[in-house]
PDB file of all heavy atoms in Angstrom:
ATOM      1  N   ILE A 160     117.837 104.511 106.500  1.00 91.00           N
ATOM      2  CA  ILE A 160     116.491 104.968 106.853  1.00 91.00           C
ATOM      3  C   ILE A 160     116.522 106.488 107.006  1.00 91.00           C
ATOM      4  O   ILE A 160     117.425 107.033 107.639  1.00 91.00           O
ATOM      5  CB  ILE A 160     116.029 104.311 108.163  1.00 91.00           C
ATOM      6  CG1 ILE A 160     116.006 102.797 108.011  1.00 91.00           C
ATOM      7  CG2 ILE A 160     114.669 104.843 108.576  1.00 91.00           C
ATOM      8  CD1 ILE A 160     115.904 102.042 109.315  1.00 91.00           C
ATOM      9  N   THR A 161     115.523 107.151 106.426  1.00 92.00           N
ATOM     10  CA  THR A 161     115.473 108.608 106.514  1.00 92.00           C
ATOM     11  C   THR A 161     114.270 109.067 107.341  1.00 92.00           C
ATOM     12  O   THR A 161     113.292 108.317 107.499  1.00 92.00           O
ATOM     13  CB  THR A 161     115.366 109.251 105.115  1.00 92.00           C
ATOM     14  OG1 THR A 161     114.106 108.900 104.538  1.00 92.00           O
ATOM     15  CG2 THR A 161     116.505 108.807 104.209  1.00 92.00           C
ATOM     16  N   ILE A 162     114.341 110.285 107.831  1.00 92.00           N
ATOM     17  CA  ILE A 162     113.234 110.889 108.574  1.00 92.00           C
ATOM     18  C   ILE A 162     111.986 110.927 107.691  1.00 92.00           C
ATOM     19  O   ILE A 162     110.884 110.653 108.149  1.00 92.00           O
ATOM     20  CB  ILE A 162     113.606 112.324 109.033  1.00 92.00           C
ATOM     21  CG1 ILE A 162     114.762 112.299 110.019  1.00 92.00           C
ATOM     22  CG2 ILE A 162     112.399 113.054 109.602  1.00 92.00           C
ATOM     23  CD1 ILE A 162     114.426 111.773 111.384  1.00 92.00           C
ATOM     24  N   LYS A 163     112.160 111.244 106.422  1.00 94.00           N
ATOM     25  CA  LYS A 163     111.035 111.322 105.496  1.00 94.00           C
ATOM     26  C   LYS A 163     110.308 109.985 105.407  1.00 94.00           C
ATOM     27  O   LYS A 163     109.079 109.941 105.388  1.00 94.00           O
ATOM     28  CB  LYS A 163     111.508 111.767 104.115  1.00 94.00           C
ATOM     29  CG  LYS A 163     110.385 111.868 103.106  1.00 94.00           C
ATOM     30  CD  LYS A 163     110.655 112.933 102.092  1.00 94.00           C
ATOM     31  CE  LYS A 163     109.577 113.045 101.062  1.00 94.00           C
ATOM     32  NZ  LYS A 163     108.312 113.545 101.558  1.00 94.00           N
ATOM     33  N   GLN A 164     111.037 108.883 105.367  1.00 95.00           N
ATOM     34  CA  GLN A 164     110.419 107.553 105.319  1.00 95.00           C
ATOM     35  C   GLN A 164     109.586 107.299 106.573  1.00 95.00           C
ATOM     36  O   GLN A 164     108.481 106.764 106.492  1.00 95.00           O
ATOM     37  CB  GLN A 164     111.486 106.466 105.181  1.00 95.00           C
ATOM     38  CG  GLN A 164     112.162 106.438 103.836  1.00 95.00           C
ATOM     39  CD  GLN A 164     113.328 105.473 103.828  1.00 95.00           C
ATOM     40  OE1 GLN A 164     114.201 105.525 104.700  1.00 95.00           O
ATOM     41  NE2 GLN A 164     113.356 104.588 102.840  1.00 95.00           N
ATOM     42  N   ILE A 165     110.113 107.668 107.726  1.00 95.00           N
ATOM     43  CA  ILE A 165     109.393 107.478 108.989  1.00 95.00           C
ATOM     44  C   ILE A 165     108.138 108.346 109.009  1.00 95.00           C
ATOM     45  O   ILE A 165     107.061 107.879 109.381  1.00 95.00           O
ATOM     46  CB  ILE A 165     110.318 107.782 110.189  1.00 95.00           C
ATOM     47  CG1 ILE A 165     111.457 106.753 110.231  1.00 95.00           C
ATOM     48  CG2 ILE A 165     109.524 107.795 111.495  1.00 95.00           C
ATOM     49  CD1 ILE A 165     112.561 107.084 111.207  1.00 95.00           C
ATOM     50  N   GLN A 166     108.272 109.589 108.570  1.00 95.00           N
ATOM     51  CA  GLN A 166     107.107 110.479 108.512  1.00 95.00           C
ATOM     52  C   GLN A 166     106.025 109.910 107.600  1.00 95.00           C
ATOM     53  O   GLN A 166     104.841 109.969 107.921  1.00 95.00           O
ATOM     54  CB  GLN A 166     107.523 111.873 108.024  1.00 95.00           C
ATOM     55  CG  GLN A 166     108.332 112.640 109.040  1.00 95.00           C
ATOM     56  CD  GLN A 166     108.948 113.908 108.466  1.00 95.00           C
ATOM     57  OE1 GLN A 166     109.387 113.943 107.321  1.00 95.00           O
ATOM     58  NE2 GLN A 166     108.991 114.942 109.288  1.00 95.00           N
ATOM     59  N   GLU A 167     106.418 109.353 106.472  1.00 95.00           N
ATOM     60  CA  GLU A 167     105.458 108.767 105.535  1.00 95.00           C
ATOM     61  C   GLU A 167     104.751 107.562 106.160  1.00 95.00           C
ATOM     62  O   GLU A 167     103.548 107.387 105.978  1.00 95.00           O
ATOM     63  CB  GLU A 167     106.154 108.363 104.240  1.00 95.00           C
ATOM     64  CG  GLU A 167     106.558 109.553 103.392  1.00 95.00           C
ATOM     65  CD  GLU A 167     107.456 109.192 102.215  1.00 95.00           C
ATOM     66  OE1 GLU A 167     107.854 108.015 102.071  1.00 95.00           O
ATOM     67  OE2 GLU A 167     107.763 110.112 101.426  1.00 95.00           O
ATOM     68  N   LYS A 168     105.484 106.740 106.903  1.00 95.00           N
ATOM     69  CA  LYS A 168     104.886 105.570 107.562  1.00 95.00           C
ATOM     70  C   LYS A 168     103.887 106.003 108.634  1.00 95.00           C
ATOM     71  O   LYS A 168     102.816 105.404 108.773  1.00 95.00           O
ATOM     72  CB  LYS A 168     105.968 104.680 108.188  1.00 95.00           C
ATOM     73  CG  LYS A 168     106.835 103.960 107.193  1.00 95.00           C
ATOM     74  CD  LYS A 168     106.085 102.804 106.596  1.00 95.00           C
ATOM     75  CE  LYS A 168     107.029 101.934 105.784  1.00 95.00           C
ATOM     76  NZ  LYS A 168     106.371 100.758 105.259  1.00 95.00           N
ATOM     77  N   ILE A 169     104.227 107.033 109.398  1.00 95.00           N
ATOM     78  CA  ILE A 169     103.314 107.543 110.423  1.00 95.00           C
ATOM     79  C   ILE A 169     102.043 108.071 109.758  1.00 95.00           C
ATOM     80  O   ILE A 169     100.931 107.730 110.179  1.00 95.00           O
ATOM     81  CB  ILE A 169     103.989 108.653 111.266  1.00 95.00           C
ATOM     82  CG1 ILE A 169     105.105 108.061 112.127  1.00 95.00           C
ATOM     83  CG2 ILE A 169     102.958 109.372 112.141  1.00 95.00           C
ATOM     84  CD1 ILE A 169     105.986 109.093 112.809  1.00 95.00           C
ATOM     85  N   ALA A 170     102.207 108.878 108.724  1.00 94.00           N
ATOM     86  CA  ALA A 170     101.052 109.449 108.029  1.00 94.00           C
ATOM     87  C   ALA A 170     100.164 108.355 107.449  1.00 94.00           C
ATOM     88  O   ALA A 170      98.931 108.410 107.570  1.00 94.00           O
ATOM     89  CB  ALA A 170     101.520 110.390 106.929  1.00 94.00           C
ATOM     90  N   GLU A 171     100.771 107.343 106.856  1.00 95.00           N
ATOM     91  CA  GLU A 171     100.013 106.236 106.268  1.00 95.00           C
ATOM     92  C   GLU A 171      99.229 105.478 107.340  1.00 95.00           C
ATOM     93  O   GLU A 171      98.051 105.166 107.157  1.00 95.00           O
ATOM     94  CB  GLU A 171     100.971 105.282 105.549  1.00 95.00           C
ATOM     95  CG  GLU A 171     100.298 104.101 104.918  1.00 95.00           C
ATOM     96  CD  GLU A 171     101.295 103.141 104.263  1.00 95.00           C
ATOM     97  OE1 GLU A 171     102.503 103.422 104.257  1.00 95.00           O
ATOM     98  OE2 GLU A 171     100.834 102.099 103.778  1.00 95.00           O
ATOM     99  N   ALA A 172      99.863 105.200 108.459  1.00 96.00           N
ATOM    100  CA  ALA A 172      99.192 104.469 109.542  1.00 96.00           C
ATOM    101  C   ALA A 172      98.012 105.265 110.098  1.00 96.00           C
ATOM    102  O   ALA A 172      96.950 104.699 110.383  1.00 96.00           O
ATOM    103  CB  ALA A 172     100.197 104.153 110.655  1.00 96.00           C
ATOM    104  N   ILE A 173      98.190 106.564 110.230  1.00 95.00           N
ATOM    105  CA  ILE A 173      97.101 107.413 110.727  1.00 95.00           C
ATOM    106  C   ILE A 173      95.941 107.400 109.740  1.00 95.00           C
ATOM    107  O   ILE A 173      94.784 107.225 110.123  1.00 95.00           O
ATOM    108  CB  ILE A 173      97.599 108.844 111.002  1.00 95.00           C
ATOM    109  CG1 ILE A 173      98.510 108.856 112.239  1.00 95.00           C
ATOM    110  CG2 ILE A 173      96.422 109.808 111.198  1.00 95.00           C
ATOM    111  CD1 ILE A 173      99.227 110.173 112.474  1.00 95.00           C
ATOM    112  N   LYS A 174      96.251 107.564 108.463  1.00 93.00           N
ATOM    113  CA  LYS A 174      95.200 107.591 107.445  1.00 93.00           C
ATOM    114  C   LYS A 174      94.455 106.263 107.356  1.00 93.00           C
ATOM    115  O   LYS A 174      93.239 106.229 107.181  1.00 93.00           O
ATOM    116  CB  LYS A 174      95.789 107.974 106.095  1.00 93.00           C
ATOM    117  CG  LYS A 174      96.168 109.437 106.014  1.00 93.00           C
ATOM    118  CD  LYS A 174      96.819 109.792 104.701  1.00 93.00           C
ATOM    119  CE  LYS A 174      97.262 111.246 104.709  1.00 93.00           C
ATOM    120  NZ  LYS A 174      98.023 111.607 103.506  1.00 93.00           N
ATOM    121  N   LEU A 175      95.170 105.159 107.480  1.00 95.00           N
ATOM    122  CA  LEU A 175      94.561 103.830 107.381  1.00 95.00           C
ATOM    123  C   LEU A 175      93.789 103.425 108.640  1.00 95.00           C
ATOM    124  O   LEU A 175      93.014 102.478 108.608  1.00 95.00           O
ATOM    125  CB  LEU A 175      95.630 102.775 107.076  1.00 95.00           C
ATOM    126  CG  LEU A 175      96.279 102.855 105.700  1.00 95.00           C
ATOM    127  CD1 LEU A 175      97.394 101.824 105.582  1.00 95.00           C
ATOM    128  CD2 LEU A 175      95.252 102.658 104.596  1.00 95.00           C
ATOM    129  N   SER A 176      93.991 104.145 109.723  1.00 95.00           N
ATOM    130  CA  SER A 176      93.375 103.766 110.993  1.00 95.00           C
ATOM    131  C   SER A 176      91.860 103.919 110.999  1.00 95.00           C
ATOM    132  O   SER A 176      91.169 103.252 111.764  1.00 95.00           O
ATOM    133  CB  SER A 176      93.963 104.592 112.138  1.00 95.00           C
ATOM    134  OG  SER A 176      93.476 105.930 112.095  1.00 95.00           O
ATOM    135  N   GLY A 177      91.360 104.839 110.175  1.00 95.00           N
ATOM    136  CA  GLY A 177      89.929 105.112 110.199  1.00 95.00           C
ATOM    137  C   GLY A 177      89.527 106.063 111.310  1.00 95.00           C
ATOM    138  O   GLY A 177      88.362 106.435 111.418  1.00 95.00           O
ATOM    139  N   LEU A 178      90.473 106.456 112.137  1.00 96.00           N
ATOM    140  CA  LEU A 178      90.209 107.413 113.210  1.00 96.00           C
ATOM    141  C   LEU A 178      90.445 108.824 112.692  1.00 96.00           C
ATOM    142  O   LEU A 178      91.306 109.052 111.844  1.00 96.00           O
ATOM    143  CB  LEU A 178      91.139 107.159 114.397  1.00 96.00           C
ATOM    144  CG  LEU A 178      91.013 105.817 115.110  1.00 96.00           C
ATOM    145  CD1 LEU A 178      92.152 105.637 116.100  1.00 96.00           C
ATOM    146  CD2 LEU A 178      89.672 105.715 115.801  1.00 96.00           C
ATOM    147  N   THR A 179      89.684 109.762 113.214  1.00 96.00           N
ATOM    148  CA  THR A 179      89.924 111.157 112.855  1.00 96.00           C
ATOM    149  C   THR A 179      91.129 111.670 113.638  1.00 96.00           C
ATOM    150  O   THR A 179      91.510 111.106 114.674  1.00 96.00           O
ATOM    151  CB  THR A 179      88.706 112.046 113.168  1.00 96.00           C
ATOM    152  OG1 THR A 179      88.538 112.112 114.593  1.00 96.00           O
ATOM    153  CG2 THR A 179      87.449 111.539 112.495  1.00 96.00           C
ATOM    154  N   GLN A 180      91.688 112.743 113.139  1.00 96.00           N
ATOM    155  CA  GLN A 180      92.807 113.359 113.842  1.00 96.00           C
ATOM    156  C   GLN A 180      92.383 113.827 115.223  1.00 96.00           C
ATOM    157  O   GLN A 180      93.153 113.727 116.184  1.00 96.00           O
ATOM    158  CB  GLN A 180      93.366 114.523 113.026  1.00 96.00           C
ATOM    159  CG  GLN A 180      94.024 114.073 111.743  1.00 96.00           C
ATOM    160  CD  GLN A 180      94.518 115.226 110.902  1.00 96.00           C
ATOM    161  OE1 GLN A 180      94.589 116.365 111.345  1.00 96.00           O
ATOM    162  NE2 GLN A 180      94.869 114.930 109.665  1.00 96.00           N
ATOM    163  N   THR A 181      91.153 114.286 115.335  1.00 97.00           N
ATOM    164  CA  THR A 181      90.627 114.731 116.633  1.00 97.00           C
ATOM    165  C   THR A 181      90.533 113.554 117.598  1.00 97.00           C
ATOM    166  O   THR A 181      90.927 113.676 118.768  1.00 97.00           O
ATOM    167  CB  THR A 181      89.252 115.404 116.454  1.00 97.00           C
ATOM    168  OG1 THR A 181      89.402 116.514 115.567  1.00 97.00           O
ATOM    169  CG2 THR A 181      88.685 115.878 117.779  1.00 97.00           C
ATOM    170  N   GLU A 182      90.036 112.412 117.126  1.00 98.00           N
ATOM    171  CA  GLU A 182      89.930 111.223 117.983  1.00 98.00           C
ATOM    172  C   GLU A 182      91.301 110.768 118.453  1.00 98.00           C
ATOM    173  O   GLU A 182      91.485 110.440 119.635  1.00 98.00           O
ATOM    174  CB  GLU A 182      89.256 110.077 117.225  1.00 98.00           C
ATOM    175  CG  GLU A 182      87.785 110.267 116.969  1.00 98.00           C
ATOM    176  CD  GLU A 182      87.205 109.189 116.069  1.00 98.00           C
ATOM    177  OE1 GLU A 182      87.851 108.815 115.064  1.00 98.00           O
ATOM    178  OE2 GLU A 182      86.100 108.718 116.391  1.00 98.00           O
ATOM    179  N   ILE A 183      92.250 110.745 117.551  1.00 97.00           N
ATOM    180  CA  ILE A 183      93.611 110.333 117.910  1.00 97.00           C
ATOM    181  C   ILE A 183      94.177 111.291 118.953  1.00 97.00           C
ATOM    182  O   ILE A 183      94.752 110.864 119.961  1.00 97.00           O
ATOM    183  CB  ILE A 183      94.511 110.267 116.665  1.00 97.00           C
ATOM    184  CG1 ILE A 183      94.059 109.119 115.754  1.00 97.00           C
ATOM    185  CG2 ILE A 183      95.975 110.090 117.062  1.00 97.00           C
ATOM    186  CD1 ILE A 183      94.717 109.102 114.386  1.00 97.00           C
ATOM    187  N   GLY A 184      94.001 112.588 118.717  1.00 97.00           N
ATOM    188  CA  GLY A 184      94.490 113.591 119.668  1.00 97.00           C
ATOM    189  C   GLY A 184      93.904 113.406 121.050  1.00 97.00           C
ATOM    190  O   GLY A 184      94.623 113.430 122.050  1.00 97.00           O
ATOM    191  N   LYS A 185      92.598 113.202 121.113  1.00 98.00           N
ATOM    192  CA  LYS A 185      91.941 113.011 122.417  1.00 98.00           C
ATOM    193  C   LYS A 185      92.465 111.773 123.121  1.00 98.00           C
ATOM    194  O   LYS A 185      92.745 111.807 124.324  1.00 98.00           O
ATOM    195  CB  LYS A 185      90.427 112.914 122.241  1.00 98.00           C
ATOM    196  CG  LYS A 185      89.763 114.243 121.986  1.00 98.00           C
ATOM    197  CD  LYS A 185      88.262 114.098 121.862  1.00 98.00           C
ATOM    198  CE  LYS A 185      87.629 115.445 121.554  1.00 98.00           C
ATOM    199  NZ  LYS A 185      86.182 115.356 121.356  1.00 98.00           N
ATOM    200  N   ARG A 186      92.584 110.691 122.388  1.00 97.00           N
ATOM    201  CA  ARG A 186      93.040 109.431 123.012  1.00 97.00           C
ATOM    202  C   ARG A 186      94.485 109.508 123.487  1.00 97.00           C
ATOM    203  O   ARG A 186      94.855 108.856 124.457  1.00 97.00           O
ATOM    204  CB  ARG A 186      92.859 108.271 122.045  1.00 97.00           C
ATOM    205  CG  ARG A 186      91.398 107.955 121.785  1.00 97.00           C
ATOM    206  CD  ARG A 186      91.249 106.715 120.959  1.00 97.00           C
ATOM    207  NE  ARG A 186      89.879 106.528 120.513  1.00 97.00           N
ATOM    208  CZ  ARG A 186      89.469 105.458 119.862  1.00 97.00           C
ATOM    209  NH1 ARG A 186      90.305 104.482 119.570  1.00 97.00           N
ATOM    210  NH2 ARG A 186      88.212 105.352 119.489  1.00 97.00           N
ATOM    211  N   LEU A 187      95.296 110.293 122.766  1.00 97.00           N
ATOM    212  CA  LEU A 187      96.708 110.418 123.148  1.00 97.00           C
ATOM    213  C   LEU A 187      96.976 111.645 124.018  1.00 97.00           C
ATOM    214  O   LEU A 187      98.106 111.884 124.423  1.00 97.00           O
ATOM    215  CB  LEU A 187      97.586 110.484 121.896  1.00 97.00           C
ATOM    216  CG  LEU A 187      97.593 109.243 121.014  1.00 97.00           C
ATOM    217  CD1 LEU A 187      98.501 109.462 119.814  1.00 97.00           C
ATOM    218  CD2 LEU A 187      98.023 108.019 121.797  1.00 97.00           C
ATOM    219  N   GLN A 188      95.917 112.422 124.265  1.00 97.00           N
ATOM    220  CA  GLN A 188      96.022 113.643 125.053  1.00 97.00           C
ATOM    221  C   GLN A 188      97.015 114.636 124.435  1.00 97.00           C
ATOM    222  O   GLN A 188      97.866 115.211 125.122  1.00 97.00           O
ATOM    223  CB  GLN A 188      96.362 113.333 126.508  1.00 97.00           C
ATOM    224  CG  GLN A 188      95.289 112.501 127.176  1.00 97.00           C
ATOM    225  CD  GLN A 188      95.605 112.166 128.619  1.00 97.00           C
ATOM    226  OE1 GLN A 188      96.751 112.226 129.050  1.00 97.00           O
ATOM    227  NE2 GLN A 188      94.577 111.813 129.361  1.00 97.00           N
ATOM    228  N   ILE A 189      96.885 114.775 123.109  1.00 97.00           N
ATOM    229  CA  ILE A 189      97.646 115.772 122.372  1.00 97.00           C
ATOM    230  C   ILE A 189      96.643 116.536 121.504  1.00 97.00           C
ATOM    231  O   ILE A 189      95.501 116.118 121.358  1.00 97.00           O
ATOM    232  CB  ILE A 189      98.759 115.147 121.491  1.00 97.00           C
ATOM    233  CG1 ILE A 189      98.165 114.162 120.471  1.00 97.00           C
ATOM    234  CG2 ILE A 189      99.799 114.462 122.367  1.00 97.00           C
ATOM    235  CD1 ILE A 189      99.178 113.599 119.491  1.00 97.00           C
ATOM    236  N   SER A 190      97.061 117.619 120.916  1.00 97.00           N
ATOM    237  CA  SER A 190      96.142 118.413 120.099  1.00 97.00           C
ATOM    238  C   SER A 190      95.933 117.781 118.721  1.00 97.00           C
ATOM    239  O   SER A 190      96.796 117.040 118.227  1.00 97.00           O
ATOM    240  CB  SER A 190      96.684 119.832 119.927  1.00 97.00           C
ATOM    241  OG  SER A 190      97.829 119.823 119.101  1.00 97.00           O
ATOM    242  N   GLN A 191      94.801 118.106 118.137  1.00 97.00           N
ATOM    243  CA  GLN A 191      94.525 117.670 116.768  1.00 97.00           C
ATOM    244  C   GLN A 191      95.569 118.263 115.834  1.00 97.00           C
ATOM    245  O   GLN A 191      95.972 117.638 114.860  1.00 97.00           O
ATOM    246  CB  GLN A 191      93.102 118.090 116.365  1.00 97.00           C
ATOM    247  CG  GLN A 191      92.718 117.767 114.922  1.00 97.00           C
ATOM    248  CD  GLN A 191      93.160 118.806 113.926  1.00 97.00           C
ATOM    249  OE1 GLN A 191      93.172 119.996 114.207  1.00 97.00           O
ATOM    250  NE2 GLN A 191      93.535 118.363 112.750  1.00 97.00           N
TER     251      GLN A 191
END
């Protein structure tokens, strides 16, 4: 398993969520 594979999975999950980056940031209390 590589870091790149994990990064790709995270990016895919975020994109498929239907949530904006701003919404995710607010809910997780991190920046967009």
Side-chain angles (χ1 to χ4, degrees):
I160 300 165
T161 66
I162 296 288
K163 180 149 179 68
Q164 290 172 309
I165 295 170
Q166 289 170 322
E167 288 170 356
K168 291 284 190 176
I169 291 170
E171 179 183 357
I173 289 171
K174 287 177 184 174
L175 292 175
S176 74
L178 297 171
T179 67
Q180 293 177 12
T181 301
E182 289 173 318
I183 292 170
K185 284 182 182 177
R186 292 187 190 186
L187 296 180
Q188 298 179 340
I189 59 175
S190 70
Q191 176 276 325

